[in-house]
Amino acid sequence: MLEWVDVYTGRKYRFTAEGVRKARAHVAGLLVKKLAGRSGVREMADAAAEFWSRDYYELVFPLGFGRVAEGGAVRGCVLPSGPEVGLDGGAEFRRGPLDGAAMPPVLPAGGEAATHYLLADVTLVRTALVNVLSRRRGIEGALLHALRLACLVAALAEELEHQGWEPPREVRPLVAFLRGAGAPPDGFDGELVRALWRAAESAEAARALPEDLSVTLVVGAVQRVKQYVFETPGLNEIRGGSELLEEVTHRLAREVTRQLGPEVVLRAAGSHLEFLAPSGRAADGERWEARVRKAFLEATGGVLVAAVAKPFGVRDLLCDYPGVMAEVSRELEVARGRASAGQLETLPFEERCSICRRRAAEGWYRSPAGDLEPACRACVTKREVGRRARAGKTEELAKLLGGRVDPWGLDRGVRHAGSLDQLIPRDRRRRLVALVYGDGNNFGAVAQRQRSLAEALQWTRRVASVTRSAAALALAEAAAGGADGGRREDLSAQEFLPFQVLALGGEDVGLFAWGPVGLRFAQRFVELTDREFEPAVEAARKERICFSLGVLVTDEKAPVRRTLAFAEGELLEWAKAAARNAGYRHGGTVAFLVVPSVEQIPGDLEAYRGQMYLRRGSTFDLCLTLRPVTAAELGFLLQKAARLQEEGHAGHVERLAAAFVQGKPRVAVLYYVYQKARERKEAAGAGFASVLEEASAAPSTLGGLAYPTGVLPGRVPFGEEAVPGQKVLFSPLADLAELIKVLQ
């Protein structure tokens, strides 16, 4: 029985012989479709490389959830889990990203490869090394591309033949040779290719490679990304800055793909690019690191870019990948010290840009008020890219939802919002917008623990696919149902989509949304990503992978830069610290804050928390918030807040929370006891206290929750480090009061 181990969760996928045959035939059929209509050998090789490097990983990941359509709306569905997942001849495999409840077509590498390698990992490493080293030895043209195609299809040659696909005539002997059934063609170093073929899956074979085999690893990364993106206050400029960096990264990746092939690109996400090359120079003789710096500088008008192109022995790359990346990091540090963003000096007599107020103005632009204002090229470029990109990320996510005409479940076509106030339905009492910003917890350490190039490839593709898939599904569910679990009428009169994606690259996610949609998105996104990386064995719990999000809900007129800085710099860091202090045992976390206007955004979050939510006592301390919360806890609080609002108890919650926050807790407790006794006397049925104390849907972490206060063993105020001997009572009343404000 063949098995594949998810190294990040410890879950094992076990295949019967029939299950393996079915999975291989299924993937071969999809590869045949990818190759259909390709005429030349190079075109076929590029298509096959694109299949393995992009399409296949989007089919496999996420492993933990899929997509179903119910009642005209899309939602996520949970796939089989547990310590072991069996795949036999009856398994149905995905034919596209998030394909219903079908299983991911996991294909273990097999052979001598580690049990956590996928066939795609090994195939890409093999092909990239054969490609680059062949070029170094002068092999070009038809023979090179025939060799690339052979490397990309040889592992599934029998299945491809059964699907009716035959490789071009010049490729057939190469495939036969790679499968051990023929001699190498003339002019072809068969011994080297066979050595590389085995080295990609076997550490022992990699250690036997000659020392003189080398490739060049090129790495480019923009420095001070946040400074560049957030240097201007406007939404279009901020979105444009983020989008522009990603555009340049993908444009460079496409250039590398055209010159060398898709398989050599190891990573292209956000503003970070990594690829293998025969040497430090491109085909036209320009050094790769100079080309990377030039592309970013020309497009942005001035960012700091560090880039290196360093040769490494293939043996070192395969056997000591952590050491290679550590050396690259040191080289990047040196490059950072030499990086320059170009000439930014503005002379005293020069007009400054009215947008960034730093650079010299180079022309004019029409402001939102309709006035002509001086502007620099960098800001105008970001502004125009940001305006064009309003719909770009949303449309990318819509494709993951099955290409439906109405992917967001809003019953009819809606437009993309041009301003934050258009995110909010016109009939809402409170005009609140949520800014959600998040990323992975300790993902840098996860990357540093990877022991091989194959692992790094798989991790990079998996994170990107899981983040995008979870974002698409969470947005679909939040937009279709608001924050209360599916009241479609909430958005029935909406003219514009109630959200706008700001950033989505690698592990980062950022968006603006109408308040209820933003909170529901945060809850569902963390829930889905927790599901993907849910530990299946005890050993995986110690290094559990999860995401944290910061959510600031405030007035739609609040300056974008201010809200972004607070959500990312304060709330997200609060959520991350809480997850870290808890040892990630409960998964991801969300830290949210609701303030009516920008003037009430705290200047010092720590002092604000202590003043608003913590009451010191001689015997017990009282914490009036559960934040940061897990996905399950936030879901419970949202449902509780929605029911309290629907049944007319919003005023009771607000008055009780105010009694705790502004008065003495002892008096507030007496007030609650009085209200509860009065309710019982009047036999009010599902009154305020009954609704508040209903706990059937409470998650296990809130199992001891009582009202108005109660002890929650193991919980620490604000998710901070535990203080020995500290006794704390908790109450979610402030949380519920803030959430009800968002729902109104």
Side-chain angles (χ1 to χ4, degrees), residues 152-237:
L152 291 162
V153 302
L156 293 178
E158 292 180 7
E159 290 80 6
L160 290 169
E161 184 179 353
H162 292 156
Q163 295 280 344
W165 185 85
E166 287 190 2
R169 179 176 48 82
E170 61 268 41
V171 178
R172 293 171 199 164
L174 294 171
V175 171
F177 167 72
L178 291 174
R179 294 177 62 83
D186 295 337
F188 176 74
D189 191 343
E191 185 176 339
L192 171 64
V193 172
R194 186 159 283 166
L196 292 172
W197 186 267
R198 288 197 59 235
E201 65 178 24
S202 165
E204 182 181 351
R207 286 190 289 270
L209 290 173
E211 291 186 14
D212 60 345
L213 293 179
S214 67
V215 295
T216 297
L217 178 59
V218 183
V219 180
V222 173
Q223 311 303 305
R224 302 178 190 172
V225 172
K226 294 172 186 175
Q227 177 179 311
Y228 168 73
V229 172
F230 300 142
E231 69 178 355
T232 49
L235 175 59
N236 282 324
E237 290 82 9

Side-chain angles (χ1 to χ4, degrees), residues 247-256 273 291-292 295-296:
E247 278 186 11
V248 177
T249 301
H250 289 299
R251 187 166 69 242
L252 284 166
R254 289 193 298 271
E255 186 177 336
V256 173
L273 178 67
R291 177 164 293 186
V292 170
F296 279 105

Side-chain angles (χ1 to χ4, degrees), residues 357-593:
R357 304 189 184 280
R358 292 177 57 243
R359 290 180 285 267
E362 302 172 64
W364 303 88
Y365 90 106
R366 185 74 63 180
S367 72
D371 301 323
L372 282 176
E373 299 283 354
C376 65
R377 182 176 66 86
C379 286
V380 170
T381 300
K382 287 201 290 186
R383 181 177 178 79
E384 291 307 311
V385 170
R387 288 166 64 89
R388 293 197 308 269
R390 276 194 304 223
K393 289 286 190 296
T394 303
E395 290 171 355
E396 287 179 26
L397 295 179
K399 292 178 182 177
L400 291 173
L401 300 178
R404 301 167 69 245
V405 176
D406 180 26
W408 308 114
L410 298 180
D411 297 330
R412 57 189 177 82
V414 291
R415 293 178 286 164
H416 295 279
S419 59
L420 294 183
D421 65 307
Q422 292 178 341
L423 300 174
I424 308 170
R426 287 178 296 178
D427 60 345
R428 290 294 114 174
R429 173 188 164 193
R430 296 187 186 271
R431 312 289 297 172
L432 297 177
V433 170
L435 171 59
V436 184
Y437 208 97
D439 62 15
N441 286 307
N442 209 23
F443 276 28
V446 175
Q448 291 175 2
R449 291 198 299 268
Q450 290 156 6
R451 312 308 300 173
S452 69
L453 182 58
E455 276 186 44
L457 274 173
Q458 186 188 124
W459 168 251
T460 300
R461 269 58 170 189
R462 181 174 188 174
V463 167
S465 184
V466 169
T467 303
R468 285 162 47 84
S469 299
L473 288 169
L475 274 175
E477 294 185 38
D484 52 9
R487 290 195 315 165
R488 299 290 298 280
E489 65 270 18
D490 274 350
L491 298 175
S492 59
Q494 180 74 336
E495 297 179 26
F496 302 93
L497 279 177
F499 62 86
Q500 195 169 115
V501 180
L502 183 65
L504 187 65
E507 71 202 64
D508 296 330
V509 59
L511 60 90
F512 286 96
W514 175 41
V517 172
L519 284 166
R520 175 60 176 158
F521 166 83
Q523 184 272 328
R524 192 61 172 138
F525 179 86
V526 173
E527 186 175 30
L528 287 169
T529 51
D530 278 355
R531 177 65 188 83
E532 172 68 10
F533 295 109
E534 182 182 6
V537 296
E538 191 59 36
R541 296 185 185 279
K542 299 177 182 178
E543 297 177 342
R544 180 171 182 170
I545 294 170
C546 56
F547 285 72
S548 286
L549 275 68
V551 184
L552 176 64
V553 186
T554 188
D555 177 16
E556 84 271 24
K557 295 182 177 64
V560 172
R561 182 164 57 183
R562 177 77 177 97
T563 57
L564 268 170
F566 188 80
E568 185 194 17
E570 299 288 346
L571 294 178
L572 176 57
E573 291 307 311
W574 181 18
K576 283 176 166 287
R580 181 172 58 252
N581 292 336
Y584 307 112
R585 64 181 182 275
H586 301 306
T589 49
V590 179
F592 67 88
L593 185 67

Side-chain angles (χ1 to χ4, degrees), residues 602-650:
D604 184 335
L605 180 60
E606 185 176 354
Y608 178 86
R609 291 186 323 218
Q611 178 184 353
M612 289 293 294
Y613 305 126
L614 192 60
R615 299 291 177 268
R616 299 291 185 183
S618 57
T619 306
F620 287 92
D621 292 338
L622 173 61
C623 186
L624 298 172
T625 181
L626 304 178
R627 285 169 274 182
V629 290
T630 65
E633 291 168 353
L634 180 55
F636 171 74
L637 291 173
L638 282 168
Q639 290 178 1
K640 179 79 70 180
R643 188 178 172 198
L644 286 165
Q645 184 204 7
E646 287 172 2
E647 300 192 13
H649 302 308

Side-chain angles (χ1 to χ4, degrees), residues 105-181:
V106 174
L107 273 188
E112 300 177 73
T115 54
H116 60 278
Y117 285 1
L118 292 168
L119 181 59
D121 308 333
V122 173
T123 297
L124 287 169
V125 172
R126 283 171 174 166
T127 310
L129 293 176
V130 168
N131 178 351
V132 171
L133 289 170
S134 296
R135 291 176 187 271
R136 284 183 64 87
R137 297 193 169 207
I139 298 176
E140 296 283 351
L143 179 57
L144 173 68
H145 299 303
L147 181 55
R148 290 176 57 221
L149 181 57
C151 289
L152 291 162
V153 302
L156 293 178
E158 292 180 7
E159 290 80 6
L160 290 169
E161 184 179 353
H162 292 156
Q163 295 280 344
W165 185 85
E166 287 190 2
R169 179 176 48 82
E170 61 268 41
V171 178
R172 293 171 199 164
L174 294 171
V175 171
F177 167 72
L178 291 174
R179 294 177 62 83

